[in-house]
Amino acid sequence: DDLTISQNSFNKNPLTIDLNGHTLTFSSATLVNQSDLVIEDNSSSSNGKIVGSGSFVIQNGNSTITTANLVINSGTIENSAYYGIRNYGTITINGGTITSPQYTVYNQNSFVMNDGLIYGTVGMAYQNANNSTMEMHGGEIKSNSTDRAVNLNFNSTAIMFDGKITATNGSNGHGGVGVTAFKDSSFTIKGGNIEG
């Protein structure tokens, strides 16, 4: 069934959440993963969602717990207020959709994208910071604003093997920048497409 949670919830043991076509709502609260967490939606409708209205819908690890492992196979993660996911550990995206107004994924450690969609509706879709790493093997990172789709800084590195990075404003065909890499960071493209 649909479920609403109004306080921060902490996962401290290996767990799989199968949304099964339902909505898990964090009302001004965050799902904090401190172990191994798998999120998926195995329903025939594929309508399963985790939605939030706080600072983050999901926080993976923290400044002292950097071994947290989050895997998203399917389903939708959506924040109506601020950020989607903040990562201090390891994230693997195999499918599904993550959307928020700004900083849809804020990565501070290790991130791998194999498929799916990361969508920033107002601001930046993806931020790589603080010596973090990113690998993109498929899927799409998209910003529908005049901001960047992917931003790299603070000694971060990213390699794009396949997939698509898009920065186009849907209202007038003009957008921001596909990828910004500041002088202390690096971006390597070996395949895929960047569209601005």
Side-chain angles (χ1 to χ4, degrees):
D1 205 351
D2 295 342
L3 180 65
T4 297
I5 297 173
S6 57
Q7 60 185 2
N8 290 348
S9 296
F10 295 84
N11 176 52
K12 298 184 178 182
N13 295 289
L15 175 70
T16 296
I17 298 175
D18 182 356
L19 297 166
N20 195 31
H22 294 286
T23 299
L24 176 59
T25 301
F26 285 89
S27 179
S28 298
T30 300
L31 172 58
V32 181
N33 178 44
Q34 298 179 347
S35 180
D36 296 323
L37 175 63
V38 177
I39 296 171
E40 55 195 23
D41 175 23
N42 290 315
S43 68
S44 57
S45 66
S46 300
N47 291 329
K49 290 184 177 183
I50 298 178
V51 300
S53 56
S55 297
F56 296 97
V57 179
I58 299 174
Q59 180 174 305
N60 189 48
N62 57 38
S63 58
T64 59
I65 300 174
T66 58
T67 57
N69 184 39
L70 172 64
V71 177
I72 300 173
N73 291 324
S74 53
T76 298
I77 297 168
E78 180 180 298
N79 195 347
S80 61
Y82 297 105
Y83 305 155
I85 299 175
R86 185 168 190 168
N87 177 48
Y88 294 92
T90 298
I91 293 181
T92 303
I93 309 289
N94 296 319
T97 299
I98 307 166
T99 181
S100 74
Q102 53 187 327
Y103 287 128
T104 305
V105 174
Y106 193 105
N107 178 38
Q108 293 184 258
N109 197 341
S110 177
F111 176 87
V112 177
M113 185 170 188
N114 296 313
D115 203 351
L117 172 65
I118 296 172
Y119 182 39
T121 58
V122 176
M124 196 180 304
Y126 180 88
Q127 164 82 357
N128 219 30
N130 297 343
N131 301 294
S132 58
T133 63
M134 168 190 172
E135 287 187 13
M136 187 172 185
H137 298 274
E140 182 177 9
I141 300 175
K142 181 178 181 179
S143 173
N144 195 39
S145 71
T146 57
D147 210 328
R148 294 149 282 186
V150 173
N151 187 59
L152 312 171
N153 58 15
F154 300 110
N155 298 300
S156 64
T157 61
I159 302 176
M160 182 179 186
F161 295 94
D162 202 354
K164 189 173 184 180
I165 295 173
T166 309
T168 55
N169 187 311
S171 63
N172 60 17
H174 296 87
V177 176
V179 178
T180 300
F182 286 89
K183 64 181 180 179
D184 54 359
S185 297
S186 68
F187 178 79
T188 302
I189 179 168
K190 297 187 175 184
N193 294 283
I194 302 173
E195 181 181 348

